[in-house]
Amino acid sequence: ARARQTTLFTTHTLERGLTWSDATLLLVGGRVISTGTSADLSESEVRARFAGARAARGPLARKGGRV
């Protein structure tokens, strides 16, 4: 039987993250906004989810302030 392994990999390069991973977890402001398999996500879908979550946090958060 093949041993299962987990490696935590962080990147701001969406193409690299989706290519190199099996599973994806998206964070905005320290909160999980999406989880799933990398094969099920496109770069445009990730960008849309990120933009929606960021917009929901409000203008203060977008400028680097704490909410």
Short mmCIF file of all heavy atoms in Angstrom, two decimals:
data_model
loop_
_atom_site.label_atom_id
_atom_site.label_comp_id
_atom_site.label_asym_id
_atom_site.label_seq_id
_atom_site.Cartn_x
_atom_site.Cartn_y
_atom_site.Cartn_z
N ALA A 1 0.84 -1.19 0.00
CA ALA A 1 0.00 0.00 0.00
C ALA A 1 0.89 1.25 0.00
O ALA A 1 1.91 1.27 0.66
CB ALA A 1 -0.91 0.01 1.20
N ARG A 2 0.46 2.23 -0.74
CA ARG A 2 1.20 3.48 -0.84
C ARG A 2 0.89 4.37 0.37
O ARG A 2 -0.27 4.57 0.72
CB ARG A 2 0.80 4.19 -2.12
CG ARG A 2 1.57 5.44 -2.37
CD ARG A 2 1.20 6.03 -3.70
NE ARG A 2 1.69 7.40 -3.75
CZ ARG A 2 1.23 8.32 -4.54
NH1 ARG A 2 0.26 8.05 -5.37
NH2 ARG A 2 1.72 9.52 -4.53
N ALA A 3 1.93 4.91 0.99
CA ALA A 3 1.75 5.80 2.13
C ALA A 3 1.23 7.15 1.65
O ALA A 3 1.67 7.66 0.62
CB ALA A 3 3.06 5.97 2.87
N ARG A 4 0.28 7.71 2.37
CA ARG A 4 -0.25 9.04 2.03
C ARG A 4 0.62 10.09 2.69
O ARG A 4 1.06 9.92 3.82
CB ARG A 4 -1.68 9.17 2.50
CG ARG A 4 -2.61 8.22 1.75
CD ARG A 4 -4.03 8.45 2.15
NE ARG A 4 -4.38 9.84 1.93
CZ ARG A 4 -5.35 10.27 1.15
NH1 ARG A 4 -6.09 9.40 0.52
NH2 ARG A 4 -5.62 11.55 1.02
N GLN A 5 0.86 11.18 1.98
CA GLN A 5 1.67 12.26 2.51
C GLN A 5 0.94 13.58 2.28
O GLN A 5 0.21 13.74 1.31
CB GLN A 5 3.02 12.32 1.81
CG GLN A 5 3.87 11.11 2.04
CD GLN A 5 5.20 11.21 1.31
OE1 GLN A 5 5.38 12.02 0.42
NE2 GLN A 5 6.12 10.37 1.70
N THR A 6 1.18 14.51 3.18
CA THR A 6 0.64 15.86 3.04
C THR A 6 1.78 16.85 3.09
O THR A 6 2.63 16.76 3.97
CB THR A 6 -0.36 16.17 4.17
OG1 THR A 6 -1.42 15.23 4.11
CG2 THR A 6 -0.90 17.58 4.04
N THR A 7 1.79 17.76 2.14
CA THR A 7 2.77 18.84 2.12
C THR A 7 2.01 20.14 2.01
O THR A 7 1.12 20.28 1.17
CB THR A 7 3.71 18.70 0.91
OG1 THR A 7 4.37 17.44 0.98
CG2 THR A 7 4.75 19.80 0.89
N LEU A 8 2.33 21.09 2.87
CA LEU A 8 1.70 22.41 2.80
C LEU A 8 2.55 23.28 1.88
O LEU A 8 3.75 23.45 2.09
CB LEU A 8 1.62 23.04 4.19
CG LEU A 8 1.05 24.44 4.25
CD1 LEU A 8 -0.40 24.44 3.77
CD2 LEU A 8 1.15 24.98 5.66
N PHE A 9 1.92 23.80 0.85
CA PHE A 9 2.60 24.61 -0.16
C PHE A 9 1.82 25.90 -0.31
O PHE A 9 0.61 25.88 -0.54
CB PHE A 9 2.62 23.84 -1.48
CG PHE A 9 3.13 24.60 -2.66
CD1 PHE A 9 4.48 24.88 -2.80
CD2 PHE A 9 2.26 25.03 -3.66
CE1 PHE A 9 4.95 25.57 -3.90
CE2 PHE A 9 2.72 25.72 -4.76
CZ PHE A 9 4.08 26.00 -4.88
N THR A 10 2.46 27.04 -0.12
CA THR A 10 1.78 28.32 -0.29
C THR A 10 2.39 29.06 -1.46
O THR A 10 3.60 28.99 -1.69
CB THR A 10 1.88 29.19 0.97
OG1 THR A 10 3.24 29.49 1.23
CG2 THR A 10 1.27 28.49 2.16
N THR A 11 1.55 29.77 -2.20
CA THR A 11 2.04 30.55 -3.33
C THR A 11 1.02 31.62 -3.68
O THR A 11 -0.16 31.49 -3.36
CB THR A 11 2.29 29.65 -4.57
OG1 THR A 11 2.81 30.45 -5.62
CG2 THR A 11 1.03 28.95 -5.03
N HIS A 12 1.49 32.68 -4.30
CA HIS A 12 0.60 33.70 -4.85
C HIS A 12 0.46 33.52 -6.36
O HIS A 12 -0.21 34.30 -7.02
CB HIS A 12 1.14 35.10 -4.54
CG HIS A 12 0.97 35.47 -3.11
ND1 HIS A 12 2.02 35.52 -2.24
CD2 HIS A 12 -0.13 35.78 -2.39
CE1 HIS A 12 1.58 35.86 -1.04
NE2 HIS A 12 0.27 36.02 -1.11
N THR A 13 1.11 32.49 -6.90
CA THR A 13 1.04 32.20 -8.33
C THR A 13 -0.03 31.14 -8.55
O THR A 13 0.19 29.95 -8.28
CB THR A 13 2.41 31.71 -8.84
OG1 THR A 13 3.41 32.64 -8.46
CG2 THR A 13 2.40 31.55 -10.35
N LEU A 14 -1.20 31.57 -9.02
CA LEU A 14 -2.31 30.63 -9.16
C LEU A 14 -2.00 29.46 -10.06
O LEU A 14 -2.32 28.32 -9.74
CB LEU A 14 -3.55 31.37 -9.68
CG LEU A 14 -4.15 32.39 -8.74
CD1 LEU A 14 -5.32 33.10 -9.40
CD2 LEU A 14 -4.59 31.73 -7.45
N GLU A 15 -1.40 29.72 -11.19
CA GLU A 15 -1.10 28.64 -12.13
C GLU A 15 -0.23 27.57 -11.46
O GLU A 15 -0.51 26.38 -11.57
CB GLU A 15 -0.39 29.19 -13.37
CG GLU A 15 -0.05 28.12 -14.38
CD GLU A 15 0.70 28.66 -15.59
OE1 GLU A 15 1.18 29.81 -15.55
OE2 GLU A 15 0.82 27.91 -16.56
N ARG A 16 0.79 27.99 -10.76
CA ARG A 16 1.68 27.05 -10.08
C ARG A 16 0.92 26.28 -9.00
O ARG A 16 1.04 25.07 -8.89
CB ARG A 16 2.85 27.79 -9.44
CG ARG A 16 3.84 26.87 -8.75
CD ARG A 16 4.99 27.62 -8.13
NE ARG A 16 5.68 28.41 -9.13
CZ ARG A 16 6.27 29.57 -8.88
NH1 ARG A 16 6.26 30.08 -7.66
NH2 ARG A 16 6.88 30.23 -9.83
N GLY A 17 0.13 26.98 -8.21
CA GLY A 17 -0.61 26.32 -7.14
C GLY A 17 -1.58 25.28 -7.65
O GLY A 17 -1.67 24.18 -7.10
N LEU A 18 -2.30 25.61 -8.71
CA LEU A 18 -3.27 24.65 -9.26
C LEU A 18 -2.59 23.49 -9.97
O LEU A 18 -3.11 22.37 -9.98
CB LEU A 18 -4.23 25.37 -10.21
CG LEU A 18 -5.18 26.37 -9.55
CD1 LEU A 18 -5.95 27.15 -10.61
CD2 LEU A 18 -6.12 25.69 -8.58
N THR A 19 -1.44 23.74 -10.57
CA THR A 19 -0.71 22.70 -11.29
C THR A 19 -0.03 21.72 -10.33
O THR A 19 -0.04 20.52 -10.56
CB THR A 19 0.35 23.32 -12.22
OG1 THR A 19 -0.32 24.18 -13.14
CG2 THR A 19 1.11 22.27 -12.98
N TRP A 20 0.55 22.23 -9.28
CA TRP A 20 1.35 21.40 -8.38
C TRP A 20 0.56 20.73 -7.26
O TRP A 20 1.12 19.96 -6.49
CB TRP A 20 2.46 22.22 -7.76
CG TRP A 20 3.54 22.62 -8.72
CD1 TRP A 20 3.57 22.44 -10.08
CD2 TRP A 20 4.75 23.28 -8.41
NE1 TRP A 20 4.71 22.94 -10.61
CE2 TRP A 20 5.47 23.48 -9.60
CE3 TRP A 20 5.30 23.75 -7.23
CZ2 TRP A 20 6.70 24.10 -9.64
CZ3 TRP A 20 6.53 24.39 -7.27
CH2 TRP A 20 7.22 24.55 -8.46
N SER A 21 -0.72 21.01 -7.13
CA SER A 21 -1.45 20.48 -5.98
C SER A 21 -2.60 19.56 -6.40
O SER A 21 -3.10 19.64 -7.51
CB SER A 21 -2.01 21.63 -5.14
OG SER A 21 -2.95 22.37 -5.90
N ASP A 22 -2.98 18.71 -5.47
CA ASP A 22 -4.16 17.85 -5.65
C ASP A 22 -5.39 18.50 -5.03
O ASP A 22 -6.49 18.40 -5.54
CB ASP A 22 -3.95 16.48 -5.00
CG ASP A 22 -2.83 15.70 -5.66
OD1 ASP A 22 -2.70 15.75 -6.89
OD2 ASP A 22 -2.06 15.05 -4.92
N ALA A 23 -5.18 19.14 -3.89
CA ALA A 23 -6.27 19.79 -3.16
C ALA A 23 -5.90 21.25 -2.95
O ALA A 23 -4.73 21.60 -2.83
CB ALA A 23 -6.50 19.11 -1.82
N THR A 24 -6.94 22.10 -2.88
CA THR A 24 -6.72 23.53 -2.76
C THR A 24 -7.57 24.09 -1.64
O THR A 24 -8.73 23.70 -1.48
CB THR A 24 -7.08 24.24 -4.08
OG1 THR A 24 -6.33 23.67 -5.13
CG2 THR A 24 -6.79 25.72 -4.02
N LEU A 25 -7.00 25.00 -0.87
CA LEU A 25 -7.70 25.72 0.18
C LEU A 25 -7.39 27.19 -0.03
O LEU A 25 -6.22 27.57 -0.13
CB LEU A 25 -7.21 25.25 1.55
CG LEU A 25 -7.86 25.91 2.74
CD1 LEU A 25 -8.18 24.85 3.79
CD2 LEU A 25 -6.95 26.96 3.33
N LEU A 26 -8.42 28.01 -0.17
CA LEU A 26 -8.22 29.44 -0.39
C LEU A 26 -8.51 30.21 0.89
O LEU A 26 -9.55 30.00 1.53
CB LEU A 26 -9.14 29.96 -1.50
CG LEU A 26 -9.01 29.27 -2.85
CD1 LEU A 26 -10.08 29.80 -3.80
CD2 LEU A 26 -7.63 29.50 -3.43
N LEU A 27 -7.60 31.13 1.25
CA LEU A 27 -7.75 31.96 2.44
C LEU A 27 -7.88 33.42 2.04
O LEU A 27 -7.16 33.88 1.16
CB LEU A 27 -6.53 31.84 3.34
CG LEU A 27 -6.23 30.50 3.99
CD1 LEU A 27 -4.85 30.54 4.65
CD2 LEU A 27 -7.29 30.18 5.02
N VAL A 28 -8.77 34.13 2.70
CA VAL A 28 -8.85 35.58 2.56
C VAL A 28 -8.98 36.13 3.98
O VAL A 28 -9.89 35.75 4.72
CB VAL A 28 -10.06 36.03 1.70
CG1 VAL A 28 -10.22 37.54 1.74
CG2 VAL A 28 -9.90 35.56 0.27
N GLY A 29 -8.05 36.98 4.36
CA GLY A 29 -8.09 37.55 5.70
C GLY A 29 -8.01 36.50 6.80
O GLY A 29 -8.60 36.67 7.85
N GLY A 30 -7.30 35.41 6.55
CA GLY A 30 -7.15 34.36 7.54
C GLY A 30 -8.34 33.42 7.64
O GLY A 30 -8.37 32.56 8.50
N ARG A 31 -9.32 33.57 6.75
CA ARG A 31 -10.51 32.71 6.78
C ARG A 31 -10.57 31.85 5.52
O ARG A 31 -10.28 32.33 4.43
CB ARG A 31 -11.78 33.55 6.86
CG ARG A 31 -11.85 34.29 8.16
CD ARG A 31 -13.09 35.11 8.25
NE ARG A 31 -12.99 35.92 9.45
CZ ARG A 31 -14.00 36.24 10.21
NH1 ARG A 31 -15.20 35.86 9.87
NH2 ARG A 31 -13.82 36.96 11.29
N VAL A 32 -10.96 30.61 5.70
CA VAL A 32 -11.11 29.69 4.56
C VAL A 32 -12.35 30.11 3.77
O VAL A 32 -13.43 30.20 4.32
CB VAL A 32 -11.25 28.24 5.04
CG1 VAL A 32 -11.50 27.30 3.87
CG2 VAL A 32 -10.01 27.81 5.82
N ILE A 33 -12.15 30.38 2.48
CA ILE A 33 -13.29 30.75 1.64
C ILE A 33 -13.65 29.64 0.65
O ILE A 33 -14.73 29.67 0.08
CB ILE A 33 -13.05 32.06 0.88
CG1 ILE A 33 -11.88 31.94 -0.10
CG2 ILE A 33 -12.87 33.21 1.85
CD1 ILE A 33 -11.85 33.01 -1.15
N SER A 34 -12.76 28.68 0.45
CA SER A 34 -13.03 27.63 -0.51
C SER A 34 -12.07 26.46 -0.30
O SER A 34 -10.90 26.67 0.02
CB SER A 34 -12.87 28.17 -1.93
OG SER A 34 -13.09 27.17 -2.89
N THR A 35 -12.58 25.25 -0.46
CA THR A 35 -11.74 24.05 -0.47
C THR A 35 -12.22 23.16 -1.60
O THR A 35 -13.36 23.25 -2.04
CB THR A 35 -11.83 23.27 0.85
OG1 THR A 35 -13.17 22.82 1.04
CG2 THR A 35 -11.37 24.09 2.04
N GLY A 36 -11.34 22.33 -2.09
CA GLY A 36 -11.72 21.40 -3.14
C GLY A 36 -10.50 20.85 -3.85
O GLY A 36 -9.36 21.10 -3.45
N THR A 37 -10.76 20.12 -4.91
CA THR A 37 -9.65 19.57 -5.68
C THR A 37 -9.17 20.62 -6.68
O THR A 37 -9.96 21.41 -7.20
CB THR A 37 -10.06 18.30 -6.45
OG1 THR A 37 -11.05 18.64 -7.41
CG2 THR A 37 -10.58 17.23 -5.51
N SER A 38 -7.90 20.63 -6.93
CA SER A 38 -7.32 21.59 -7.87
C SER A 38 -7.84 21.37 -9.28
O SER A 38 -7.99 22.31 -10.06
CB SER A 38 -5.80 21.50 -7.84
OG SER A 38 -5.34 21.81 -6.54
N ALA A 39 -8.17 20.13 -9.60
CA ALA A 39 -8.67 19.81 -10.95
C ALA A 39 -10.04 20.46 -11.20
O ALA A 39 -10.40 20.71 -12.35
CB ALA A 39 -8.77 18.30 -11.12
N ASP A 40 -10.78 20.73 -10.14
CA ASP A 40 -12.11 21.32 -10.28
C ASP A 40 -12.09 22.85 -10.38
O ASP A 40 -13.14 23.46 -10.59
CB ASP A 40 -13.00 20.92 -9.10
CG ASP A 40 -13.33 19.44 -9.09
OD1 ASP A 40 -13.25 18.81 -10.17
OD2 ASP A 40 -13.66 18.91 -8.02
N LEU A 41 -10.94 23.46 -10.19
CA LEU A 41 -10.84 24.92 -10.19
C LEU A 41 -10.04 25.44 -11.38
O LEU A 41 -9.02 24.88 -11.73
CB LEU A 41 -10.15 25.41 -8.91
CG LEU A 41 -10.89 25.20 -7.60
CD1 LEU A 41 -9.97 25.57 -6.44
CD2 LEU A 41 -12.15 26.04 -7.56
N SER A 42 -10.51 26.52 -11.96
CA SER A 42 -9.73 27.22 -12.99
C SER A 42 -9.19 28.49 -12.35
O SER A 42 -9.65 28.93 -11.30
CB SER A 42 -10.62 27.58 -14.18
OG SER A 42 -11.59 28.54 -13.78
N GLU A 43 -8.20 29.10 -12.99
CA GLU A 43 -7.66 30.36 -12.47
C GLU A 43 -8.75 31.41 -12.38
O GLU A 43 -8.81 32.16 -11.40
CB GLU A 43 -6.52 30.86 -13.36
CG GLU A 43 -5.21 30.15 -13.12
CD GLU A 43 -4.07 30.81 -13.87
OE1 GLU A 43 -3.86 32.02 -13.68
OE2 GLU A 43 -3.40 30.10 -14.64
N SER A 44 -9.62 31.49 -13.37
CA SER A 44 -10.67 32.50 -13.36
C SER A 44 -11.66 32.26 -12.21
O SER A 44 -12.13 33.21 -11.59
CB SER A 44 -11.40 32.56 -14.70
OG SER A 44 -12.00 31.33 -14.99
N GLU A 45 -11.94 31.00 -11.90
CA GLU A 45 -12.84 30.70 -10.79
C GLU A 45 -12.21 31.09 -9.46
O GLU A 45 -12.86 31.65 -8.58
CB GLU A 45 -13.22 29.23 -10.79
CG GLU A 45 -14.28 28.89 -9.78
CD GLU A 45 -14.76 27.46 -9.86
OE1 GLU A 45 -14.33 26.72 -10.77
OE2 GLU A 45 -15.58 27.09 -9.02
N VAL A 46 -10.91 30.81 -9.30
CA VAL A 46 -10.21 31.18 -8.07
C VAL A 46 -10.22 32.70 -7.92
O VAL A 46 -10.51 33.24 -6.84
CB VAL A 46 -8.76 30.65 -8.08
CG1 VAL A 46 -7.96 31.23 -6.91
CG2 VAL A 46 -8.76 29.13 -8.04
N ARG A 47 -9.92 33.42 -8.99
CA ARG A 47 -9.92 34.89 -8.94
C ARG A 47 -11.30 35.43 -8.58
O ARG A 47 -11.43 36.37 -7.79
CB ARG A 47 -9.45 35.47 -10.27
CG ARG A 47 -7.98 35.24 -10.53
CD ARG A 47 -7.54 35.90 -11.84
NE ARG A 47 -6.23 35.46 -12.23
CZ ARG A 47 -5.09 35.90 -11.70
NH1 ARG A 47 -5.12 36.79 -10.75
NH2 ARG A 47 -3.93 35.43 -12.13
N ALA A 48 -12.35 34.84 -9.14
CA ALA A 48 -13.72 35.30 -8.85
C ALA A 48 -14.08 35.04 -7.38
O ALA A 48 -14.66 35.91 -6.73
CB ALA A 48 -14.71 34.59 -9.76
N ARG A 49 -13.73 33.88 -6.86
CA ARG A 49 -14.02 33.58 -5.44
C ARG A 49 -13.25 34.52 -4.52
O ARG A 49 -13.79 35.01 -3.53
CB ARG A 49 -13.66 32.13 -5.12
CG ARG A 49 -14.59 31.13 -5.74
CD ARG A 49 -14.23 29.72 -5.35
NE ARG A 49 -15.05 28.77 -6.08
CZ ARG A 49 -15.09 27.49 -5.80
NH1 ARG A 49 -14.34 26.99 -4.84
NH2 ARG A 49 -15.86 26.69 -6.50
N PHE A 50 -11.99 34.76 -4.86
CA PHE A 50 -11.17 35.66 -4.05
C PHE A 50 -11.73 37.07 -4.07
O PHE A 50 -11.88 37.71 -3.03
CB PHE A 50 -9.72 35.65 -4.57
CG PHE A 50 -8.82 36.59 -3.83
CD1 PHE A 50 -8.31 36.24 -2.59
CD2 PHE A 50 -8.49 37.82 -4.36
CE1 PHE A 50 -7.48 37.12 -1.90
CE2 PHE A 50 -7.67 38.69 -3.68
CZ PHE A 50 -7.16 38.35 -2.44
N ALA A 51 -12.08 37.56 -5.25
CA ALA A 51 -12.62 38.92 -5.37
C ALA A 51 -13.94 39.05 -4.61
O ALA A 51 -14.16 40.06 -3.93
CB ALA A 51 -12.82 39.27 -6.84
N GLY A 52 -14.80 38.05 -4.70
CA GLY A 52 -16.07 38.09 -3.98
C GLY A 52 -15.87 38.11 -2.47
O GLY A 52 -16.52 38.87 -1.76
N ALA A 53 -14.98 37.28 -1.98
CA ALA A 53 -14.72 37.22 -0.54
C ALA A 53 -14.07 38.51 -0.06
O ALA A 53 -14.38 39.02 1.01
CB ALA A 53 -13.84 36.02 -0.21
N ARG A 54 -13.17 39.04 -0.85
CA ARG A 54 -12.48 40.28 -0.47
C ARG A 54 -13.46 41.45 -0.45
O ARG A 54 -13.43 42.28 0.45
CB ARG A 54 -11.34 40.54 -1.44
CG ARG A 54 -10.40 41.59 -0.97
CD ARG A 54 -9.15 41.60 -1.79
NE ARG A 54 -8.37 42.74 -1.40
CZ ARG A 54 -7.52 43.36 -2.17
NH1 ARG A 54 -7.33 42.94 -3.39
NH2 ARG A 54 -6.85 44.39 -1.74
N ALA A 55 -14.34 41.52 -1.44
CA ALA A 55 -15.34 42.59 -1.49
C ALA A 55 -16.29 42.51 -0.29
O ALA A 55 -16.71 43.53 0.25
CB ALA A 55 -16.12 42.50 -2.79
N ALA A 56 -16.61 41.29 0.13
CA ALA A 56 -17.52 41.11 1.26
C ALA A 56 -16.91 41.59 2.57
O ALA A 56 -17.64 41.93 3.50
CB ALA A 56 -17.91 39.63 1.38
N ARG A 57 -15.59 41.68 2.64
CA ARG A 57 -14.92 42.14 3.85
C ARG A 57 -15.00 43.65 4.02
O ARG A 57 -14.79 44.16 5.09
CB ARG A 57 -13.46 41.70 3.85
CG ARG A 57 -13.33 40.19 4.00
CD ARG A 57 -11.90 39.74 4.12
NE ARG A 57 -11.36 40.25 5.37
CZ ARG A 57 -10.12 40.69 5.51
NH1 ARG A 57 -9.31 40.72 4.50
NH2 ARG A 57 -9.69 41.13 6.67
N GLY A 58 -15.24 44.38 2.93
CA GLY A 58 -15.41 45.83 3.03
C GLY A 58 -14.18 46.61 2.63
O GLY A 58 -13.09 46.06 2.52
N PRO A 59 -14.35 47.91 2.42
CA PRO A 59 -13.25 48.76 1.91
C PRO A 59 -12.08 48.91 2.87
O PRO A 59 -10.94 49.00 2.45
CB PRO A 59 -13.92 50.11 1.66
CG PRO A 59 -15.18 50.08 2.44
CD PRO A 59 -15.58 48.64 2.57
N LEU A 60 -12.31 48.92 4.17
CA LEU A 60 -11.22 49.06 5.13
C LEU A 60 -10.26 47.88 5.02
O LEU A 60 -9.05 48.04 5.00
CB LEU A 60 -11.76 49.16 6.56
CG LEU A 60 -10.73 49.33 7.67
CD1 LEU A 60 -9.92 50.62 7.45
CD2 LEU A 60 -11.39 49.36 9.02
N ALA A 61 -10.81 46.67 4.89
CA ALA A 61 -9.98 45.47 4.77
C ALA A 61 -9.18 45.48 3.49
O ALA A 61 -8.04 45.04 3.44
CB ALA A 61 -10.86 44.22 4.83
N ARG A 62 -9.74 46.00 2.41
CA ARG A 62 -9.04 46.02 1.12
C ARG A 62 -7.85 46.97 1.16
O ARG A 62 -6.92 46.82 0.40
CB ARG A 62 -9.99 46.41 -0.01
CG ARG A 62 -10.95 45.29 -0.36
CD ARG A 62 -11.63 45.55 -1.66
NE ARG A 62 -12.48 46.72 -1.65
CZ ARG A 62 -13.72 46.76 -1.22
NH1 ARG A 62 -14.29 45.69 -0.75
NH2 ARG A 62 -14.42 47.88 -1.27
N LYS A 63 -7.87 47.95 2.05
CA LYS A 63 -6.76 48.90 2.13
C LYS A 63 -5.73 48.48 3.16
O LYS A 63 -4.85 49.23 3.50
CB LYS A 63 -7.30 50.29 2.44
CG LYS A 63 -8.11 50.85 1.29
CD LYS A 63 -8.56 52.25 1.57
CE LYS A 63 -9.37 52.74 0.40
NZ LYS A 63 -9.77 54.12 0.54
N GLY A 64 -5.88 47.29 3.69
CA GLY A 64 -4.88 46.79 4.64
C GLY A 64 -5.27 47.00 6.10
O GLY A 64 -4.55 46.60 6.99
N GLY A 65 -6.42 47.63 6.37
CA GLY A 65 -6.86 47.83 7.74
C GLY A 65 -7.47 46.57 8.32
O GLY A 65 -7.81 45.64 7.61
N ARG A 66 -7.59 46.52 9.59
CA ARG A 66 -8.19 45.37 10.27
C ARG A 66 -9.69 45.58 10.41
O ARG A 66 -10.14 46.68 10.68
CB ARG A 66 -7.57 45.17 11.65
CG ARG A 66 -6.10 44.92 11.56
CD ARG A 66 -5.82 43.53 11.99
NE ARG A 66 -4.39 43.29 11.86
CZ ARG A 66 -3.92 42.21 11.33
NH1 ARG A 66 -4.72 41.28 10.89
NH2 ARG A 66 -2.64 42.01 11.26
N VAL A 67 -10.42 44.49 10.24
CA VAL A 67 -11.88 44.55 10.40
C VAL A 67 -12.27 43.65 11.54
O VAL A 67 -11.75 42.61 11.71
CB VAL A 67 -12.60 44.13 9.11
CG1 VAL A 67 -14.09 44.05 9.33
CG2 VAL A 67 -12.27 45.09 8.01
#
